Structure formats: structure tokens, C-alpha cells
Amino acid sequence: MLLAFDVGNTNIVLGVFRDGEMITNWRLATDNGKSADEYGMIIHNLFRYEKLDPAEVKDVIISTVVPSILYTLQHLSQKYFNRKALVIGPGIKTGLIVKYDNPKQVGADRIVNAVAARAKYGGPLIIIDFGTATTFCAVTAKGEYIGGTIAPGLKISSDALFEKTAILPKVELEEPGQVICRNTNSSMQSGLVYGHMGVVEYITGKMKKELVEYSIAEGIDAKAEDVKVIATGGLANLIEGGVDCIDYVDKLLTLEGLEIIYRKNKKCK
């Protein structure tokens, strides 16, 4: 079995694969204060709950945007699974051509998402990940990762309104059903959720135009209607319901990308 870790600023999502198929997944809170032993015991209990044998784990792969937790998970992998983890970073084979000014600056999760989306949906692509930040990534039909946009995520925006104002309350992230609202909670929900939908529509439309222009300049025939838009992340369904630009919601995209990258690198050992 393969154990995959997708570490975000808010959550750690774990997936277990057997013969290339995901058999289960879990979501934990990202906590820099937890030790390898604490995480190790939590994960072993999750395995027992699912009637899985930790001894069957033959490899571990980690994608993280939280560098401070990497050592903890590497230590966990060695101590509890007797495996040296494969970590997404420089030197890892992905099959993508990264056109970023400095490829080392691209978040591991963005690369992993792009690998999975291209394998599953072809190209050209825009991948939107609704996490702590909302990221937009553009991939050409040739598998070139040409860049993207990073915007504050819905939860960050909500927390900022609560923390930086004197009297505004903390609200649930859900649609209020209208934009002319008659109470503070609904007004905040409207601004947060519908405002984010507007951001998604605008950036996606502009990104499609730029992706097509880039492709044509590179000699690749491309039209805006050919660009598939894939959404992932915890809040993807909330936003997808109110926009027209998203073609597919794929909540486990990052975990599937980790399994694909694992297979690419396993062949090279």
C-alpha cells in the first residue's frame, strides 16, 4: 500500500492506495505543535478503524506547503512505517514543463494538482484549488505549467472580517440566497461567498484568454471553449454551484496526483 500526505495550511489530507486505487482517505487538522508520535498514533488508530494493517504500507509520499511540519512527517514515516518518505520538491519527476520564473517557488500542491488534472482531463486546463488560499493554475495542452494566480481563500477573508473589525461577528460560510440582505450575518455571507464567486468568474475568464493567447504564440491551436476548468479543495462545491466557469469538481485531485507522481518516480529507481 501507498500512504499519501497532502499537507495544507489548515488540513492534512491522507490517502491510502492499493494497486493504484484509493481505498480510503482522511482529513486531519494541520498542527505544528503535534509530534511525530502524536500523529503516528492518530494514523494507526485510523488504520485500525478501517481494518487496515499499517505493516502493509510499502511507501509514503508527502506534498506539503508547510515546511515546518515536513520533518515531523518524515520522522513519522521512518518510525511508524519503516519507510523513507518521497517528498515533492526539486528533482522529483512530474512530467510537467514548469515555466515559472523560479520553479522552486511553485507550491507542491499546485504541481501535484496539475499532474493529476492533466492525466485525468487532458489539456489545456485551469485548476482552481479552494484551500486556505484560492489558487488558479494554467496548463497548456503540451503539459506546460505556465503560472497562475493566488487569491485569499474564503476562510481567510472571513477570519479577516471578524478579526479586523470591532463588531462584525464570525459567520458560517454558506449562501444567504440573496445579495440585498437585511441582517449583518447574511450581509457578510453574501459579500464573502458571492464576492468569491465573482473573483472566480473574472480570473477564470481572463486566464482562459491569456492561456489561449500563449498557446497560439507557441504554435498550438487553442480556443477558449477547449479549456477545461477543474475545481478541487474543501469549498469547491460551495462556489461551483454559483458559477458557470467550472467544468468538474474533483475533491481528491491532489491525492490522486501524489499516486501518479509516486508511480513516475518508482519506475526511475
Side-chain angles (χ1 to χ4, degrees):
M1 291 192 301
L2 171 68
L3 175 60
F5 288 86
D6 167 27
V7 184
N9 290 289
T10 305
N11 294 116
I12 298 174
V13 184
L14 301 90
V16 180
F17 294 83
R18 180 183 284 130
D19 299 325
E21 296 294 325
M22 191 185 305
I23 56 177
T24 192
N25 64 88
W26 307 290
R27 184 178 293 264
L28 307 176
T30 302
D31 185 351
N32 282 305
K34 277 191 169 61
S35 67
D37 291 326
E38 289 174 302
Y39 271 124
M41 292 311 299
I42 290 170
I43 293 168
H44 266 239
N45 284 335
L46 291 171
F47 268 74
R48 280 198 292 269
Y49 179 80
E50 296 285 350
K51 297 181 173 56
L52 297 173
D53 182 1
E56 288 187 48
V57 173
K58 302 305 179 189
D59 282 297
V60 177
I61 186 168
I62 301 170
S63 166
T64 180
V65 297
V66 188
S68 57
I69 209 168
L70 178 57
Y71 173 77
T72 299
L73 296 183
Q74 287 175 308
H75 182 48
L76 176 158
S77 175
Q78 197 71 58
K79 181 173 181 179
Y80 286 89
F81 298 100
N82 196 30
R83 293 289 180 269
K84 181 180 179 180
L86 180 68
V87 180
I88 303 300
I92 293 294
K93 296 185 182 298
T94 64
L96 290 178
I97 304 162
V98 181
K99 295 282 191 169
Y100 227 57
D101 291 341
N102 181 356
K104 292 180 180 178
Q105 291 183 343
V106 185
D109 56 335
R110 298 174 77 184
I111 294 296
V112 175
N113 284 343
V115 168
R118 183 167 183 253
K120 295 181 71 175
Y121 302 100
L125 290 165
I126 294 171
I127 305 110
I128 310 172
D129 190 345
F130 295 95
T132 305
T134 297
T135 60
F136 301 75
C137 299
V139 180
T140 70
K142 286 169 55 178
E144 296 173 320
Y145 180 98
I146 61 171
T149 291
I150 302 172
L154 261 172
K155 190 173 184 304
I156 284 180
S157 300
S158 176
D159 290 345
L161 268 180
F162 173 65
E163 292 167 7
K164 301 298 183 182
T165 58
I167 60 173
L168 291 180
K170 204 171 185 67
V171 296
E172 293 294 322
L173 290 174
E174 58 186 27
E175 287 191 60
Q178 56 194 37
V179 293
I180 301 176
C181 302
R182 293 179 174 82
N183 61 70
T184 300
N185 278 31
S186 295
S187 297
M188 290 174 66
Q189 289 171 331
S190 175
L192 288 163
V193 177
Y194 296 135
H196 210 66
M197 289 175 181
V199 167
V200 169
E201 287 275 17
Y202 181 83
I203 291 178
T204 300
K206 194 164 178 59
M207 190 174 282
K208 277 188 177 183
K209 182 174 180 291
E210 292 179 12
L211 178 52
V212 168
E213 289 172 351
Y214 176 92
S215 298
I216 292 172
E218 293 292 307
I220 307 167
D221 184 34
K223 300 186 289 293
E225 54 266 32
D226 296 330
V227 180
K228 299 182 186 74
V229 180
I230 317 302
T232 190
L235 294 169
N237 287 111
L238 174 61
I239 299 302
E240 186 269 341
V243 299
D244 296 322
C245 60
I246 294 173
D247 297 308
Y248 303 97
V249 173
D250 195 332
K251 300 293 282 292
L252 299 175
L253 191 69
T254 316
L255 290 178
E256 292 176 343
L258 284 169
E259 196 278 332
I260 292 168
I261 292 173
Y262 165 74
R263 280 189 278 116
K264 286 180 182 292
N265 287 269
K266 186 178 180 184
K267 290 176 183 176
C268 299
K269 288 183 179 179

